[in-house]
Amino acid sequence: IVIVIVLGVAAFVLMRHSDSLEKCFYQVKSNDVLSNIRIVCISDMHLKEFGDHNKDLVNAIENLDPDMITIVGDMNMENKPNDYESVMELCAQLNVVAPLYYSLGNHEIDAMLFKDSQIYNDLKDIGVKILNNEVETVNIEGTNIDVIGLTQNPKEFDQYGRRFFENAMKENPDNFKLVLTHYPENFMGVLEDYDIDLALSGHAHGGQVRLPWIGGLYAADQGLFPKLCDGYHEISNSKLIITRGLGKSGVMP
């Protein structure tokens, strides 16, 4: 019995405004899953659109027939705190395809904390399960899944995230623990001691500088040759999948 994870990732591009979509498929096995479950994960769009009103992206995700859709942050741009209508529109469409769970990234948090963005409240108002250190439990084909949205990065974890996260992991110990955390760097110092059935992350953009056949050359929070910038990883007793994201936030390739 497996959970199939489909990550929406940006293809390696030679043109600045590529509309290419690359889908990566992973299978994760677990004794806590009673039947096959398919999850689509996307992140780091940074206001990019694929087709008119994101029609191409929505159609691609709908054709994958997901049981759940997850977003692991940075769909907006923090320097445009009130410009997130395309994010709202996309989420409204995806929430019809399958239940949508949205964990915050640094662009959402910075826009909320420092520029009074209302993205959290507005998404919640349209029925998106947006998780800012919050847990939602969902039953899919008989499997209880705790969807845990961890907001903090490693430097903030002890002060703002640890109490919430440990309580979320202890409650309902028989449930499958699906952790949505924007930062894969959390598995480089704070989350290795926990038994996480599956974590989904983004943030590193596959290495914000990426070379064909070599992979990530540099990521902002990991430096040169980042170890956790894309793909599937087993770390201690946890499984982690990192999406390369669908957009970009600056001039990096």
Side-chain angles (χ1 to χ4, degrees):
I1 297 174
V2 301
I3 290 183
V4 178
I5 311 298
V6 186
L7 299 185
V9 297
F12 180 83
V13 295
L14 298 179
M15 298 177 64
R16 182 176 180 183
H17 297 293
S18 172
D19 289 324
S20 299
L21 286 167
E22 179 185 334
K23 297 180 286 291
C24 294
F25 294 81
Y26 300 89
Q27 289 190 348
V28 177
K29 296 182 179 180
S30 172
N31 293 328
D32 295 329
V33 178
L34 301 181
S35 60
N36 292 342
I37 296 170
R38 175 167 287 197
I39 301 171
V40 168
C41 177
I42 64 174
S43 78
D44 297 275
M45 281 189 70
H46 295 294
L47 300 180
K48 185 172 176 61
E49 294 188 51
F50 293 87
D52 188 33
H53 300 285
N54 270 310
K55 178 181 178 181
D56 294 345
L57 178 59
V58 173
N59 287 343
I61 291 174
E62 187 172 19
N63 289 337
L64 292 168
D65 193 25
D67 296 294
M68 178 194 302
I69 301 169
T70 60
I71 291 175
V72 287
D74 279 11
M75 301 294 278
N76 66 328
M77 292 285 285
E78 60 90 15
N79 61 357
K80 300 179 180 179
N82 299 312
D83 179 12
Y84 51 83
E85 184 60 34
S86 64
V87 181
M88 296 277 293
E89 188 175 59
L90 173 63
C91 289
Q93 293 179 82
L94 293 179
N95 210 22
V96 175
V97 175
L100 174 62
Y101 296 85
Y102 188 132
S103 181
L104 300 172
N106 53 289
H107 277 254
E108 287 96 349
I109 288 294
D110 287 351
M112 289 161 56
L113 288 179
F114 305 117
K115 299 181 181 180
D116 199 32
S117 173
Q118 296 300 305
I119 188 170
Y120 173 90
N121 293 328
D122 287 344
L123 284 170
K124 205 154 196 173
D125 286 346
I126 64 170
V128 175
K129 295 177 175 63
I130 183 165
L131 306 175
N132 180 13
N133 284 357
E134 296 168 87
V135 184
E136 289 276 351
T137 300
V138 60
N139 184 284
I140 299 178
E141 300 293 335
T143 296
N144 288 319
I145 301 175
D146 286 342
V147 186
I148 302 170
L150 175 64
T151 299
Q152 280 70 39
N153 63 34
K155 294 179 181 179
E156 301 167 334
F157 179 75
D158 280 340
Q159 185 173 3
Y160 300 110
R162 183 180 294 276
R163 180 179 295 179
F164 152 76
F165 189 76
E166 290 186 348
N167 288 337
M169 291 294 293
K170 288 176 183 176
E171 286 190 28
N172 307 314
D174 294 331
N175 289 3
F176 186 94
K177 301 296 184 179
L178 175 64
V179 175
L180 309 182
T181 178
H182 182 63
Y183 306 94
E185 294 81 14
N186 278 325
F187 285 88
M188 301 174 68
V190 298
L191 294 185
E192 293 92 326
D193 293 336
Y194 301 92
D195 297 339
I196 299 170
D197 295 301
L198 180 63
L200 301 176
S201 295
H203 186 58
H205 290 264
Q208 287 162 313
V209 175
R210 190 171 179 86
L211 300 177
W213 303 292
I214 294 176
L217 180 64
Y218 175 83
D221 290 332
Q222 297 182 47
L224 291 172
F225 303 108
K227 295 181 179 179
L228 296 180
C229 67
D230 70 334
Y232 175 78
H233 303 264
E234 292 186 4
I235 301 171
S236 298
N237 293 321
S238 297
K239 298 178 176 68
L240 167 67
I241 296 175
I242 307 164
T243 169
R244 299 202 302 272
L246 290 165
K248 62 180 182 178
S249 60
V251 298
M252 302 294 273

